Amino acid sequence: MARRRRQPPGASAAEQLRLRDRLARLTDLPLLRGAGVSGEMARLRRQLERIAAEPTEDDVWRAVELARHQARPYTLDYAERILDDFVELHGDRSLGDDHAIVAGLGRFRGATVALVGHQKGRDIHERTRRNFGMAMPEGYRKAMRVMEIADRHGFPVLSLVDTPGAYPGVSAEQHGQGGWIARSQLAMARLCVPTVACVIGEGGSGGAVAIALADRVLMQENAIYSVISPEGCAAILWRDAGEAKKAAAAFKPDARHCLELGVIDAIVPEPAGGAHANHDEAARLLAAALEAALAEVAGLEADERRRARRAKFRAMGELTA
Amino acid sequence: MASRIDVSIEHRGPPAEASSAQRDPNTCPSCGSHYREDELERALRVCPQCGHHFPLRARQRVAQLVDHGTFVEQEESLRSADPLGFFDVRPYTERIAEAEVSTGLGDAIVIGAAKIERRDCQLAVMDFAFMGGSMGSVVGEKLARACERAAERRLPLVCVTASGGARMQEGILSLMQMPKTVCAVDLLRESRCAFFCVMTHPTTAGVLASFASLGDVIVAEPGALLSFTGPRVVQQTTREKLPDDFGLSESNLRLGHLDAILTRGELRPFLGRLLALFEHGA
C-alpha cells in the first residue's frame, strides 16, 4: 500500500527549497538527447505540490488552539440552533447523571432524532459541573440508553464529539471506564437506524470514539481528532510536555489529515475565523452537513447499513503485506 | 488524553531491591527470589515462592496454553506501514525494525488456529515486549482477521491481552483500531461464536476500552493492572488518593468487571472447560 516519504516535522520548508532548486536546474538544462528528464520533472513537481499542500506545524497547532477555543460552540449551543423542541433526558438509570454528556430528543428538519454529545462548560462553575467534557461511565451509559430509545422508535442518531478524553479518575475506573467505552461503541455498531457523528472540537482518544462509531463521521474544519493529546504525546515520546507543538505536527490530528487517512468522510466548513466567531453561521453549516450525511445513509435497509458501517471501520489502517 | 497510553508498573518491593531485580529477568521483583531459566520455565514463569507472575512472551504463552503441536500461525507476514511518516526523536520505522529484531515477531500480536484440551479454537495472543503491546493497524487487523476466521469456522475465540493501549506512532489510525476491533467482535457475536478474554499485566487504555472488555467471559491473571488510565496519570491529573489495589485484577474482580482471577496454571484447564460448555450449547 501507499508508502509516503518520511518527513521529519519542520523539514518540509527546507525540503521544498531543495526540490525547487532541483526543478529549476532541470528546467534550465539544455535538452541534450531529449533525455528522460520530463518524467523526473513531473515527479519533482508532484512532490513539490504535495509538500506545499501539506499543513505546516503552525497550521496544525492553530487547529489545536481553535478546537479548544473557549468561545467555540458546544453541543447545547448547536442543539438549540439546529433542533426544534429539544428535550434533554437525564440519568443512566443505574448510578447517576453525568453532565459531561448531554443526550435527548428533538426535531431535525421536521423529523425526530436523538442527539448525544459531550458538553463542556463556559464559566468556572459550569466547567466543573460538566467536568470539562470528560465523561464517566455514567455518561456513556446515558448516551447508550438514549440511542437504544432511538433505535426502537426508528429515530436517526446524531452525535457531537467534543472531549479532551474520558475522565481519568479513581471512581471512573471503579465504575468500569474501559468496559463502558467498549460497550458504547458496540451499541453504536449494532444500531439499525442511520447515525452521523461530527467532531466539533476536541476528539480526544477513547472518550471520543466511544460515541463516534457512526455511518458517517464528519469533522469541523478546525476540530482535532487524535489518539492522545499533543501534551501527552510530547511527555511520553519527547519526555517534555512543552514539545506539544512538535508532537501535534507529528501525529497530525487536524481535519485535512484525518480525511486523507480515510478516518472521516467529510470536513464541515466553519465561518471565517473559526466556529467561535459566529455561532449561528457555524450551526447553519453543521446542520447542512448533518442533513446531507443523513440523506446518504437513510435510503439503506437496516441490515445493509449495519454491514456497511462495519465494513467502513473494518477497512481502517495501513499495512504492508 | 495523554495519559491513556502511559502505563506505569508498580514496584511493591523497596526501590533499591526493585531496581537491582530489574536487571535480571529471572529475579522475582516481588520477593527477590532468583531462579535458573529451566526452573522458572517449569513453573510456567510464576514465582514458586510468592506467586508473582513474570511477564510472558506471546510464543511462551501459546506453548503453555495449547495442546502440543496444534498451533498453526496465521497472517505472520503482516507489517505496519508508516502512514504518518512519524518521527519523534527517532523514526517510527526504526522503532518497528528494532522491536522486530528484539522480539522475533512482526507486531505485538500472534494469531492462529489451535486446540486447547483437545478442542478447536481460534487464538490471539498479545506480546507486551513489542512496543508495549501497543495496538496499531497490524494488531487491529490481525485481531479482526482472527474474529473473521473464528466466525467462518464457527469456533470460539480465545484472546490473551497485554497492552499499554493504542500506538501513538500511527496517530488517529491507531485510535480507529478500537471501533475496528469492536466491529469485528460484533461480527463474532452475530455468528454466535463465543469469545473468551484472558487479561494479563498490563491491559490498559485502547485495548481495554475496545475488544478486550467485550469477552463473553473475562478472566485475568493475579496482580495484573487492568485500568483505562494508569495509576500515575490518575494521581497526577486528579490528585486523588489511590487505593492500594487501584486497577489491579483483585479490585476489578471485587467491582464486578471480571468473572475470575486465575493463576497461570489454572488457565488451560479452565479454558478447556469453557470450550466444552459452549460446544454443547451450540
Side-chain angles (χ1 to χ4, degrees):
Chain A
M1 270 175 221
R3 236 165 188 268
R4 252 174 289 139
R5 268 177 69 90
R6 174 171 0 34
Q7 285 162 33
S12 69
E15 177 98 329
Q16 208 170 332
L17 271 180
R18 195 178 59 75
L19 289 176
R20 273 193 204 293
D21 183 54
R22 276 180 66 192
L23 191 61
R25 261 182 291 151
L26 278 176
T27 326
D28 289 345
L29 211 64
L31 282 182
L32 295 175
R33 296 175 211 87
V37 187
S38 58
E40 168 76 354
M41 265 168 61
R43 194 184 62 78
L44 279 176
R45 229 178 241 126
R46 270 201 308 277
Q47 216 172 333
L48 204 57
E49 271 162 24
R50 208 184 56 70
I51 290 177
E54 184 96 334
T56 63
E57 194 173 306
D58 289 324
D59 290 343
V60 173
W61 190 248
R62 201 174 138 260
V64 173
E65 286 181 330
L66 283 177
R68 294 170 172 176
H69 200 288
Q70 294 184 6
R72 200 175 169 83
Y74 299 143
T75 296
L76 286 176
D77 297 312
Y78 287 121
E80 69 183 43
R81 284 174 177 82
I82 67 180
L83 298 183
D84 298 319
D85 266 343
F86 180 63
V87 177
E88 191 181 338
L89 301 174
H90 291 276
D92 67 346
R93 297 296 186 267
S94 148
L95 203 60
D97 185 29
D98 185 352
H99 301 287
I101 284 192
V102 294
L105 303 170
R107 246 194 304 279
F108 179 65
R109 307 289 202 236
T112 305
V113 299
L115 175 86
V116 300
H118 300 97
Q119 178 68 31
K120 296 178 179 175
R122 237 175 267 288
D123 57 48
I124 187 70
H125 175 71
E126 217 207 334
R127 246 176 246 164
T128 319
R129 193 169 80 95
R130 302 283 184 191
N131 205 10
F132 304 88
M134 297 187 287
M136 304 260 295
E138 292 86 309
Y140 298 115
R141 275 201 302 265
K142 173 166 70 176
M144 287 166 70
R145 180 173 79 84
V146 174
M147 290 191 279
E148 191 271 330
I149 296 175
D151 203 38
R152 212 151 15 92
H153 294 274
F155 308 146
V157 174
L158 303 179
S159 138
L160 301 181
V161 176
D162 188 14
T163 177
Y167 182 62
V170 173
S171 53
E173 288 296 336
Q174 291 177 334
H175 297 173
Q177 188 72 287
W180 285 103
I181 290 175
R183 283 183 282 277
S184 181
Q185 291 173 72
L186 184 66
M188 287 194 85
R190 302 184 78 89
L191 290 177
C192 292
V193 292
T195 54
V196 178
C198 182
V199 186
I200 58 167
E202 288 180 275
S205 164
V209 86
I211 58 166
L213 203 161
D215 293 319
R216 289 288 180 272
V217 182
L218 317 177
M219 224 173 133
Q220 280 186 326
E221 202 179 330
N222 294 307
I224 56 170
Y225 198 5
S226 65
V227 66
I228 183 171
S229 73
E231 291 77 11
C233 178
I236 297 173
L237 290 182
W238 278 264
R239 309 216 167 271
D240 176 5
E243 301 277 19
K245 204 168 161 180
K246 226 181 248 177
F251 71 69
K252 305 178 171 136
D254 58 297
R256 272 162 71 187
H257 278 118
C258 288
L259 185 68
E260 195 182 308
L261 290 167
V263 167
I264 58 167
D265 299 290
I267 297 179
V268 182
E270 291 180 25
H276 62 280
N278 186 343
H279 287 198
D280 292 334
E281 178 63 5
R284 197 186 60 75
L285 291 165
L286 178 64
L290 290 174
E291 188 184 10
L294 268 184
E296 279 175 29
V297 290
L300 302 176
E301 286 294 312
D303 273 354
E304 203 181 338
R305 191 160 41 227
R306 265 186 61 186
R307 265 198 301 276
R309 189 186 302 147
R310 209 150 61 187
K312 165 192 163 77
F313 285 94
R314 176 69 185 81
M316 288 185 189
E318 275 197 40
L319 308 161
T320 52
Chain B
M1 287 212 57
S3 24
R4 299 298 132 73
I5 281 124
D6 192 7
V7 178
S8 56
I9 294 157
E10 290 190 341
H11 298 284
R12 282 182 231 146
E17 195 185 315
S19 67
S20 66
Q22 259 178 341
R23 266 177 240 127
D24 194 315
N26 287 5
T27 299
C28 176
S30 179
C31 71
S33 314
H34 183 77
Y35 303 98
R36 286 194 321 270
E37 181 62 24
D38 62 311
E39 285 175 327
L40 204 52
E41 195 70 51
R42 218 173 26 247
L44 302 177
R45 306 196 88 78
V46 175
C47 175
Q49 198 64 238
C50 72
H52 170 80
H53 283 54
F54 285 77
L56 209 56
R57 303 294 312 281
R59 299 212 189 281
Q60 294 171 326
R61 173 75 65 183
V62 171
Q64 286 190 10
L65 276 187
V66 311
D67 299 353
H68 184 72
T70 60
F71 183 71
V72 182
E73 189 169 348
Q74 301 151 343
E75 316 287 0
E76 310 157 65
S77 63
L78 280 184
R79 294 290 184 280
S80 176
D82 181 15
L84 301 185
F86 196 92
F87 195 101
D88 48 274
V89 284
R90 284 163 61 207
Y92 175 41
T93 42
E94 200 177 298
R95 285 183 191 263
I96 296 188
E98 190 185 278
E100 228 182 290
V101 170
S102 72
T103 62
L105 300 174
D107 213 297
I109 193 169
V110 171
I111 66 168
K115 279 182 200 285
I116 295 177
E117 309 264 292
R118 298 179 312 284
R119 291 198 159 74
D120 280 311
C121 66
Q122 172 70 37
L123 194 64
V125 179
M126 300 188 75
D127 196 319
F128 191 74
F130 194 106
M131 294 186 75
S134 56
M135 174 161 71
S137 298
V138 174
V139 171
E141 181 69 24
K142 280 177 130 178
L143 198 279
R145 290 192 190 180
C147 290
E148 284 161 3
R149 281 171 187 262
E152 234 165 70
R153 295 182 59 205
R154 304 203 140 267
L155 290 178
L157 173 66
V158 175
C159 183
V160 184
T161 59
S163 170
R167 186 172 294 169
M168 273 177 288
Q169 288 87 347
E170 289 181 40
I172 188 71
L173 286 179
S174 294
L175 188 69
M176 290 303 117
Q177 304 310 306
M178 292 171 63
K180 175 166 157 179
T181 52
V182 168
C183 285
V185 173
D186 184 31
L187 174 79
L188 202 62
R189 288 190 171 194
E190 206 175 75
S191 315
R192 293 180 61 214
C193 296
F195 174 26
F196 311 131
C197 185
V198 180
M199 295 189 182
T200 71
H201 179 76
T203 297
T204 60
V207 167
L208 184 76
S210 59
F211 66 91
S213 291
L214 299 178
D216 295 317
V217 178
I218 306 176
V219 299
E221 287 191 339
L225 176 67
L226 320 170
S227 72
F228 181 62
T229 314
R232 203 176 55 212
V233 173
V234 170
Q235 171 78 65
Q236 277 168 6
T237 350
T238 64
R239 318 242 171 246
E240 284 176 83
K241 165 115 182 63
L242 302 194
D244 289 341
D245 61 352
F246 174 84
L248 298 185
S249 310
E250 291 72 16
S251 76
N252 274 289
L253 180 70
R254 191 159 40 78
L255 292 163
H257 304 312
L258 292 177
D259 290 294
I261 295 176
L262 299 170
T263 62
R264 215 161 262 172
E266 295 169 326
L267 272 179
R268 183 170 161 174
F270 181 81
L271 287 171
R273 280 166 61 202
L274 279 185
L275 290 170
L277 285 172
F278 277 80
E279 198 169 70
H280 293 293

